[in-house]
């Protein structure tokens, strides 16, 4: 089967790009120095590719991702890098058979983890604008966790405000500020782990003991605007379904695309707008009804989460089809 | 089970709001004068509620929606209001046992429909900026379709550029312009159907013989900015998972929300930003970790498409849980 013959809209990954990205990152952050974030792809088959390159510890954003990896036998060392208060989900993770560590940043999330039988935690520290305790709270929270019988493996903090900036010097400045705070918290907390970072700071963040990068595997137009060695590998094959004077319409709309980073890109065309199941665009050279075109998503994470499967292609031929099986919560 | 006890993020509909919206629209557009667009909800259980109010003909945007309705026994009269060139999907619709009519706007989509055994079509006319032929092409395309053995039931055209405008007079002006062109095409095409319109023009569009409204069932913050009798009925229950000085973070992020119309709304709070699985907000009055809050999606259609189920609640109690079973393509 060729990509050109897949029913559209069809999400596909370029196997060569994927292989190149996996190799580049594995060289820089070998083994468990990289803790790949599976929220970027939500796909155990892709996680298996990462594990086969030596990255056997994973980062998750949802209990569904944790439980799916555990079921798939990828449970050596899974971090839920998020705050969770749900007793049912915490208990399911505690009894999943996997080694599960959860991030905690308050007495409430520490108590919920301990009550559910979770064994190990990281103290999440506020170094950006997501979750996390104040630097000065990290030590006392670690003591509370230990008092409740939890193993405290260290700290985590995500410099999300630095991640997407195109100017490298700004990424460096904000990362340094964030990570100095995380290091200070680590002094108070102890443990062997300092977890953080992402694709935008993979060669900037020298503070963490493990990097939580996810998007590097297949990239998107947002990260591709940075000067990175990772190459665009995620595409949507669409069909031109209607042609009007001056513009055309294809069948990959906003229900097939993560839209929070704005419109997708079609090379050689200007996007007019995305509707539920249509994208209207002005092509540089005329297109005809039935032509296949390639749409590049602006944001990998929510794009993957909208599709049931990811096709893997090499030189235009579909060589594998992977279920995107870690979706929802 | 209470909404407050659902694992979060939990998508839920208010049964009273749903009932009120269904009744208001059924009074104005009774029976098959309304052809509800199921792309707004992608849920056969909700379609069944519409059918029980007399709306037994449906509008779809994807073959998956058509085939799902057909399987659910809601196949009296289904319109695929979209251009389709996929032989496999066209054949599946032709042999679904349902009465399926497809929109066509070119010789290519007419030929694809005829080859696949589709029996009936509407000529889609370009009255906005989505698909559709020029007004002057509608007659010749109808003749082509009839020559290939297709029944031509009439025309359709969607005044999407008028739909979301908050100023009623502008909606009226743009709808009139669009529908006069559709009426002109109808003269040339013949048939009993003039299909179009939506929630934004439900009481403005007096040209169509059937209205394709969908969002009215549960609304969103975009449509709620218009002066409409339909009430907000779609919500996401979220948990406050982290509190920082000046802001808090809940667990309904952009993977749970349609983001193309911008950020969601939290009453009594200002949204800072949405991340994959987090929304950071500034509450007017302090919140605590573990508090439940209600997030109102900005756009119903893509929000529904991101969730596996919709809970239905009455005065805070979950009275039903419906699978969102018409997702994907």
């Amino acid at each position: 089967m060729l990509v050109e013959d897949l029913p559209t809209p069809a999400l596909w990954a370029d196997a060569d790009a994927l292989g190149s990205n996996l190799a580049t990152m594995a060289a820089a952050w070998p083994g468990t120095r990289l803790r790949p974030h599976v929220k970027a792809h939500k796909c155990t088959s892709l996680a298996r590719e990462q594990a086969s390159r030596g990255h056997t510890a994973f980062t998750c954003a949802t209990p569904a991702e944790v439980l799916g990896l555990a079921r798939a036998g990828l449970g050596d060392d899974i971090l839920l890098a998020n705050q969770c208060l749900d007793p049912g989900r915490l208990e399911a993770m505690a009894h999943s058979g996997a080694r599960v560590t959860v991030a905690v940043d308050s007495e409430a999330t520490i108590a919920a983890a301990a009550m559910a039988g979770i064994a190990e935690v990281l103290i999440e520290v506020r170094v950006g604008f997501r979750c996390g305790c104040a630097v000065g709270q990290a030590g006392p929270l670690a003591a509370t966790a230990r008092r409740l019988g939890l193993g405290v493996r260290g700290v985590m903090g995500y410099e999300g405000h630095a991640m997407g900036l195109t100017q490298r010097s700004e990424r460096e400045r904000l990362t340094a500020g964030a990570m100095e705070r995380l290091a200070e918290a680590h002094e108070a907390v102890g443990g062997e782990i300092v977890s953080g970072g992402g694709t935008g700071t993979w060669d900037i963040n020298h503070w963490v003991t493990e990097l939580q990068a996810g998007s590097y595997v297949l990239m998107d137009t947002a990260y591709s605007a940075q000067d990175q060695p990772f190459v665009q590998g995620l595409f949507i094959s669409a069909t031109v379904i209607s042609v009007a004077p001056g513009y055309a319409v294809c069948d990959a709309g906003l229900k097939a695309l993560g839209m929070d980073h704005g419109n997708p890109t079609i090379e050689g065309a200007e996007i007019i707008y995305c509707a539920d199941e249509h994208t209207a665009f002005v092509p540089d050279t005329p297109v005809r009804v039935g032509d296949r075109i390639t749409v590049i998503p602006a944001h990998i994470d929510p794009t993957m989460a909208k599709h049931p499967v990811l096709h893997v292609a090499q030189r235009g031929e579909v060589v594998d089809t992977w279920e995107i099986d870690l979706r929802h919560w």
Side-chain angles (χ1 to χ4, degrees), chain A residues 292-303:
Chain A
R292 297 291 284 248
I293 58 163
T294 300
V295 181
I296 307 178
H299 191 186
I300 173 176
D301 303 30
T303 299

Side-chain angles (χ1 to χ4, degrees), chain A residues 317-329:
Chain A
E317 191 176 347
V318 178
V319 294
D320 222 332
T321 296
W322 293 340
E323 196 188 343
I324 302 175
D325 55 349
L326 304 175
R327 304 192 299 159
H328 312 132
W329 303 276

Side-chain angles (χ1 to χ4, degrees), chain A residues 167-244:
Chain A
Q167 205 185 328
R168 186 183 168 91
S169 60
E170 267 301 282
R171 290 208 302 285
E172 287 173 338
R173 188 178 70 78
L174 292 174
T175 300
M179 289 301 122
E180 278 156 22
R181 293 164 66 197
L182 189 60
E184 186 187 335
H186 184 226
E187 292 257 314
V189 167
E192 75 279 14
I193 293 180
V194 179
S195 193
T199 298
T201 62
W202 77 288
D203 61 347
I204 288 173
N205 192 326
H206 307 297
W207 290 261
V208 295
T209 61
E210 55 176 46
L211 191 82
Q212 294 183 1
S215 303
Y216 79 97
V217 283
L218 293 170
M219 298 294 278
D220 52 34
T221 63
Y223 271 126
S224 295
Q226 298 177 348
D227 184 23
Q228 298 281 18
F230 309 109
V231 293
Q232 180 61 44
L234 185 69
F235 307 96
I236 292 174
S237 182
T239 303
V240 175
I241 55 170
S242 187
V243 174

Side-chain angles (χ1 to χ4, degrees), chain A residues 6-44:
Chain A
L6 291 169
T8 54
L11 186 71
W12 65 279
D14 182 88
D16 295 335
L18 175 60
S20 163
N21 292 341
L22 289 170
T24 301
M25 189 62 98
W29 292 86
T32 54
R33 289 264 292 148
L34 186 75
R35 187 188 280 278
H37 210 316
V38 305
K39 82 181 172 76
H41 55 72
K42 287 181 170 282
C43 173
T44 52

